Amino acid sequence: MTTVVNQVRRAFYRDSVALMRISRAVAALPGVGDAALMIGSTTNKKLMQDAGLLNADGEGASPNDLVFAVTADTLENANSALAEAARLLDEPSTSEQGDARWHPKSLDTALSQLPGANIALISVPGEFAAAEARRALNRGLHVMMFSDNVPVADEVALKQDARARGLLMMGPDCGTSIIGGVPLAFANVIARGDIGIVGASGTGLQEVSTLIARHGGGVSHAIGVGGRDLKQAVGGITTLMAFDALDRDPGTRQIVLISKPPEASVANAVLERIGQSDKKVSICFIGTGEMRVPPNAALFSDLRSTAESALGGKRIGWQGTAPSPAELARRVGRGRTRVRGLFSGGTMCAEAQVFFGRAGVEVTSNVPIPGVREADAGSREGNVLLDLGDDEYTVGRPHPMIDATLRNRMLAETLADDRTAVVLLDVVIGYGAHADPASELVSALPDARARQAVVITSVCGTEDDPQSYSRQARVLEDAGVVVAPSNAHAAEIALDVLRALA
Amino acid sequence: METDKLLQSEVRVINIGLAEFAHDLERCDVPVVHVEWSPPAVGDPRIAALLAKLGG
């Protein structure tokens, strides 16, 4: 018999990452089935209802209130869980929310505390993000908006307003920027150099910048523009402004542009602007076909080739010898033939599809690139590459780069499935990401001897990242995971194993 | 140009939302002030948008 207990704390707010940590701690308590701590917005209440976590008490919460919801085997265990959640929430010194210091509650007070502030980094829930951005633009700040679920009409209005003021509106849904060496949100520690990057894809930007950094190059600035900037409705407003700024920047000698293939009219405007520059430009439109580009530009359809171009043609390869596909194929259990990709980065998933397409190996995905079939949620047969950062997996749940719970569960299920030959993953480190994603991933793996599938990943990061590239790679290798030198290499070796099995 | 100035100057950040982002910046010795944000105007996004438009 499961008991559902809700408690509402009126006029109380904590950010979603802090709440996620407490939910996880509480969900691990004895007798607890599930636990959620969420602000009482309509969306969240619907999620809790669908998960069987909401009762009449929680139903009455407003978006200003915090809802504690637990299911447990007994009322006593449910109440202990709620008490523990309240204790964690009220303990500022131990809660990872941060510290007991005083923080301003308004932008104006914050500005008086930090004269000369130039960027507002906004990560409030999507429905409130546009209002905060407007306030910041009004005060002359550039904006980086990490928040997603912002209506496209608000994005267009904010970007037009920002452009009129000469300010950069990076985002919404902008996961990564590095301005003057400063990593904002999900970004890596990258050496300074003369390569400027404009990216409509957060993980694409992370993969290219870390490949550059791990192979001796450096980045002047990496400007995220948000995933929709090159859509027709937005028209590439921020991409063009960022390109202008990098073109004028004396510290930037060449420019990299990363995006999904844009619609024709936007592509034309961007290519025309690129053609006016004297600087060398490497364009990555993930999965793109042929396209005419200006003489100062080169076009690529994957991230690794783009990084190699920015590195002046330097080849990115395996350190030492690449693993033998035949050797890896021997680890695969009888009758297992398919590849399952469980990616935390959407662009990593797209790039893997590019390599499957080039090899002529059929694959489906929940985020298909042109030419790839959409994976049917019900029956995912054959080779399937999934982006677990896509909306269907992240509504009401933190991104898999922060919280590995969902991916670990799917990883265990996938390995147990007697059709799986290869599991393809990505591990993204750097600021914003999980503190030790390699160990977290390894905790979900059965012992290497008991495993009947090959697990392949790359690590997107640098030695100077807080998690350290080599430390993460070692943890994975010690657990029998193949660590490829890039996401592209990971896809290639997965395909080689498939061929060796055939 | 404001964008050129941004690329040439010290980055100074007002962080509104996830406290983690402010902590990361502090670890990098970047000047940052974290705003303790909570949903404004009785949690109604439409009223919040209106207030922001009016310059509040």
Side-chain angles (χ1 to χ4, degrees):
Chain A
M1 182 69 188
T2 304
T3 310
V4 180
V5 180
N6 288 183
Q7 210 173 69
V8 177
R9 194 180 277 203
R10 302 281 169 205
F12 189 87
Y13 182 82
R14 282 280 186 277
D15 77 50
S16 55
V17 173
L19 294 177
M20 176 268 293
R21 293 214 169 97
I22 298 176
S23 306
R24 283 178 64 182
V26 170
L29 293 173
V32 176
D34 212 348
L37 267 84
M38 288 178 159
I39 61 165
S41 66
T42 315
T43 323
N44 286 347
K45 285 196 284 188
K46 170 84 171 59
L47 285 168
M48 286 189 272
Q49 184 155 42
D50 292 347
L53 274 161
L54 197 69
N55 68 16
D57 296 335
E59 192 67 64
S62 84
N64 281 90
D65 305 331
L66 180 69
V67 183
F68 298 50
V70 292
T71 61
D73 54 353
T74 63
L75 185 62
E76 196 188 351
N77 280 336
N79 284 332
S80 318
L82 289 182
E84 177 62 6
R87 191 187 68 79
L88 291 171
L89 211 51
D90 292 332
E91 231 173 39
S93 55
T94 57
S95 97
E96 288 180 81
Q97 159 87 356
D99 49 57
R101 283 177 298 171
W102 175 86
H103 295 287
K105 291 195 168 46
S106 76
L107 177 59
D108 288 329
T109 318
L111 282 168
S112 68
Q113 300 275 306
L114 189 67
N118 44 19
I119 295 182
L121 174 53
I122 297 174
S123 55
V124 302
E127 62 242 77
F128 299 102
E132 296 302 328
R134 193 168 298 282
R135 202 170 275 126
L137 292 172
N138 279 338
R139 283 145 181 87
L141 298 175
H142 300 273
V143 172
M144 170 157 165
M145 189 191 276
F146 179 80
S147 315
D148 57 3
N149 295 314
V150 174
V152 73
D154 283 342
E155 176 170 353
V156 173
L158 287 167
K159 285 183 168 173
Q160 285 172 344
D161 181 24
R163 182 173 57 190
R165 298 167 189 267
L167 297 169
L168 276 180
M169 175 70 216
M170 300 175 268
D173 196 17
C174 178
T176 307
S177 280
I178 305 170
I179 307 291
V182 171
L184 294 163
F186 282 67
N188 304 85
V189 180
I190 305 289
R192 294 299 301 274
D194 60 9
I195 304 170
I197 309 180
V198 183
S201 140
T203 42
L205 204 155
Q206 285 189 276
E207 175 74 349
V208 171
S209 61
T210 55
L211 287 176
I212 288 171
R214 290 211 310 274
H215 293 85
V219 167
S220 54
H221 308 279
I223 303 175
V225 298
R228 292 187 303 216
D229 193 66
L230 289 144
K231 297 254 182 215
Q232 190 129 24
V234 187
I237 293 176
T238 307
T239 300
L240 291 166
M241 285 181 73
F243 190 92
D244 284 345
L246 291 174
D247 199 15
R248 287 191 302 262
D249 176 34
T252 299
R253 294 185 56 191
Q254 57 163 317
I255 300 172
V256 171
L257 171 65
I258 307 162
S259 167
K260 288 182 191 136
E263 285 160 67
S265 64
V266 184
N268 289 341
V270 171
L271 292 172
E272 193 186 321
R273 176 61 190 87
I274 287 172
Q276 291 160 8
S277 171
D278 294 329
K279 296 183 179 176
K280 172 188 157 186
V281 182
S282 306
I283 306 168
C284 179
F285 289 154
I286 313 276
T288 189
E290 292 290 304
M291 199 182 278
R292 268 173 67 98
V293 299
N296 61 325
L299 177 68
F300 304 95
S301 62
D302 66 88
L303 301 165
R304 181 183 58 190
S305 310
T306 311
E308 287 175 336
S309 163
L311 288 162
K314 188 172 186 172
R315 217 179 138 263
I316 296 170
W318 292 83
Q319 295 256 315
T321 341
S324 144
E327 178 76 21
L328 293 175
R330 276 198 284 279
R331 297 191 203 165
V332 175
R334 256 178 115 76
R336 290 173 173 246
T337 55
R338 70 181 199 182
V339 176
R340 173 63 61 99
L342 301 173
F343 291 91
S344 59
T347 309
M348 305 293 203
C349 183
E351 188 187 34
Q353 294 173 53
V354 171
F355 284 89
F356 275 67
R358 280 186 202 162
V361 174
E362 195 167 334
V363 69
T364 59
S365 175
N366 62 332
V367 289
I369 62 167
V372 169
R373 219 159 27 85
E374 181 147 11
D376 173 0
S379 62
R380 282 176 169 167
E381 295 300 325
N383 301 314
V384 187
L385 302 177
L386 295 176
D387 169 18
L388 303 184
D390 194 42
D391 290 349
E392 67 175 300
Y393 296 106
T394 54
V395 178
R397 195 185 280 130
H399 194 277
M401 280 181 210
I402 306 175
D403 179 9
T405 312
L406 173 76
R407 179 157 88 166
N408 277 359
R409 199 175 69 216
M410 292 178 76
L411 176 58
E413 284 167 10
T414 303
L415 285 169
D417 183 334
D418 61 12
R419 293 165 295 181
T420 307
V422 178
V423 183
L424 197 49
L425 304 165
D426 57 352
V427 171
V428 180
I429 61 172
Y431 287 109
H434 191 284
D436 186 3
S439 302
E440 187 76 3
L441 193 150
V442 164
S443 73
L445 291 175
D447 187 80
R449 279 160 304 184
R451 230 177 282 156
Q452 296 201 49
V454 180
V455 182
I456 302 171
T457 189
S458 62
V459 177
C460 174
T462 69
E463 204 48 37
D464 294 330
D465 281 331
Q467 303 91 338
S468 159
Y469 178 86
S470 61
R471 205 164 57 224
Q472 292 289 305
R474 201 164 46 241
V475 168
L476 293 160
E477 282 166 348
D478 286 350
V481 175
V482 178
V483 180
S486 70
N487 183 61
H489 286 91
E492 282 173 339
I493 193 83
L495 286 159
D496 288 342
V497 173
L498 272 194
R499 270 185 223 110
L501 284 169
Chain B
M1 299 285 268
E2 290 299 322
T3 48
D4 296 5
K5 243 189 336 197
L6 174 69
L7 300 192
Q8 305 310 326
S9 8
E10 179 191 51
V11 168
R12 296 167 75 81
V13 181
I14 306 286
N15 184 59
I16 308 167
L18 301 176
E20 282 296 308
F21 291 158
H23 297 158
D24 284 344
L25 289 166
E26 277 177 348
R27 257 173 246 144
C28 301
D29 294 322
V30 175
V32 55
V33 169
H34 176 64
V35 175
E36 201 174 300
W37 185 87
S38 58
V42 215
D44 186 335
R46 287 166 307 174
I47 299 178
L50 188 65
L51 281 177
K53 243 178 216 165
L54 295 172

